[in-house]
Amino acid sequence: MKALFQHRPHGPVLHFQKVHFDDLPLPRRTRLRPRSLASEAESMALAEKAKGAAAAAAAAKESKLWGGRFEESVTDAVERFGESVSFDKELYKHDIRGSRAHANMLAQQGLITDSDRNSILHGLDEIERRIKSGEFEWRRDREDVHMNIEAALTDLIGEPAKKLHTARSRNDQVVTDLRLWCREAIDEILTRIRQLQVALVRLALKNEGLIVPGYTHLQRAQPILLQHLLLSYVEQLDRDAARLINCKDRLNFCPLGACALAGTGLPIDRFMTAKELDFTAPMRNSIDAVSDRDFVLEFLSANSIAAVHLSRLGEEWVLWASEEFGFLTPSDSVSTGSSIMPQKKNPDPMELVRGKSARVVGNLVTLLVLCKGLPQAYNRDLQEDKEPLFDSVKTILGMLEVSTEFAQNISFNRERIQRALPAGHLDATTLADYLVKKGIPFRTSHEIVGRSVALCIARKCQLSELTLEDLKKIHPVFDEDVYGFLGVENSVTKFISYGSTGSSEVAGQLRHWVSKLSIAEEP
């Protein structure tokens, strides 16, 4: 059928009419020429060449260590999609360490000879040397870090290498490597946390007696010592460290020897392996050993909480560095400028700390979603646990490092802070405490001070500027001693409860942290 267009005022209308195939014009025919014998021979040669290239490519594909029952190689797409060596080579040190411990145990149990063990250990030493020097070839067709090292060991020492995987599966091997890696990463993070704590305590020591506004709801609340505020972050970081230490204690159990999921019928000694790898003990249940990723979730959770603490510190310091606050000034060494506004000096490092916290929290969410629907025991999905883990650790280490650098390169603007202190009637709660000491119920005291503040707002003055006559008109209990409670300096001295912002209490907190962190006095 063919369509004919007839133009109408409101647009074309389509009409269809039947058209017979006999009415269609015939296509112009191309004259076929007989192919010469020479061109046919050339085509056959090209076909043979292509066939030979395909055969060579197939031969070049190494047989998988698990490929005994398979007659075909996996496709390139499947190989690319499934490989993990591009990122899990990060585990090479821990994989080699686990293999050394496993070889020693196999020899001790008589499952391999001492000669085989020695060959394996020497081969692993050489592979580690090559990896460190950059000589080692990481091959994607060998899938992951474990198969790369095992295949390279076989290339290097031959038959003894084939005995290393006795009573071991990649399932228990990878999770052993991961626990060893996490244990080491936690130690690195703990070191960085301590460095930031030391920087904050030193910053507090340098700013003795400096009073700043304390905020709730981002509204001025009560006067506090800057030292007290800085030590609040030290306390948060200490809980972060404690969570990581607890996580390390819980993850420090050895899965090696659990094999695929059911253990083994061979007489291995899992306690020996656990001891050599500095684990507390072997894991009790072989199914749990290979499928558990609680330790990764707990580690990323601890990192996420620490990242949120650092983000809050970053937010406060970014605000305080603004013209509106002007409470602190970062040095040029931890600031950046604008590409268009020449006057700008931005606290970019702490903005990035605030921003990168999202990555750390996102990595935790990725792992939670990854694990939520998995049946026991090992599933290939768990290959996806490593990249979020590695990224989380790398990010939190960077956040801690740059926060420490920032803390070491800022100064607080005393004059600007002191000029800003009178605003907000920060001594109002201390005045309420004064009335309580005079025997007035707190709720009544609260109402009396509220009326006093309202008078100040009307007169555009401070509480300390009200006369005794003004105060007595509000309530006769006021006396001359009230002025010892008014003003931010007097107010701060009245805080005496344990852990408060009072000078003596803050001095005690500082002594605690100086001792706990072994901070020496700066020359």
Side-chain angles (χ1 to χ4, degrees), residues 106-216:
L106 292 176
Q108 178 70 27
Q109 296 302 106
L111 292 168
I112 63 174
T113 65
D114 288 348
S115 175
D116 287 340
R117 177 202 57 205
N118 293 340
S119 294
I120 290 169
L121 295 180
H122 289 316
L124 290 172
D125 289 344
E126 173 60 16
I127 288 171
E128 186 169 27
R129 184 198 68 76
R130 291 181 184 180
I131 294 173
K132 288 179 177 178
S133 67
E135 301 171 40
F136 190 83
E137 180 190 2
W138 294 105
R139 290 177 49 171
R140 191 183 70 193
D141 62 327
R142 288 176 174 175
E143 297 180 11
D144 56 34
V145 61
H146 324 291
M147 301 297 253
N148 264 266
I149 290 175
E150 186 178 339
L153 186 66
T154 303
D155 293 342
L156 195 62
I157 67 170
E159 285 298 310
K162 297 179 181 179
K163 300 179 181 181
L164 178 59
H165 211 55
T166 303
R168 184 175 76 170
S169 163
R170 277 191 293 178
N171 296 358
D172 61 338
Q173 187 179 357
V174 65
V175 73
T176 300
D177 295 355
L178 210 55
R179 285 173 182 264
L180 291 171
W181 189 92
C182 286
R183 199 170 67 185
E184 190 176 286
I186 286 172
D187 288 341
E188 288 186 54
I189 295 171
L190 289 172
T191 298
R192 293 278 174 88
I193 287 176
R194 184 186 183 87
Q195 289 168 349
L196 179 53
Q197 286 180 301
V198 169
L200 290 170
V201 172
R202 288 197 183 281
L203 197 56
L205 290 169
K206 283 166 55 178
N207 289 277
E208 184 178 358
L210 179 55
I211 300 172
V212 298
Y215 294 84
T216 62

Side-chain angles (χ1 to χ4, degrees), residues 50-89:
K51 188 176 178 182
K61 274 199 171 183
E62 184 177 72
S63 296
K64 305 291 185 184
L65 296 179
W66 44 258
R69 63 150 289 175
F70 291 83
E71 295 181 2
E72 296 180 29
S73 298
V74 297
T75 67
D76 287 340
V78 168
E79 189 164 83
R80 285 194 307 273
F81 189 69
E83 69 85 20
S84 60
V85 69
S86 57
F87 54 86
D88 68 16
K89 61 186 177 184

Side-chain angles (χ1 to χ4, degrees), residues 179 243 245-253 295 298:
R179 285 173 182 264
R243 272 184 283 271
I245 290 168
N246 291 339
C247 175
K248 183 180 173 184
D249 289 342
R250 270 187 289 276
L251 72 78
N252 200 39
F253 290 84
F295 68 97
E298 187 175 357

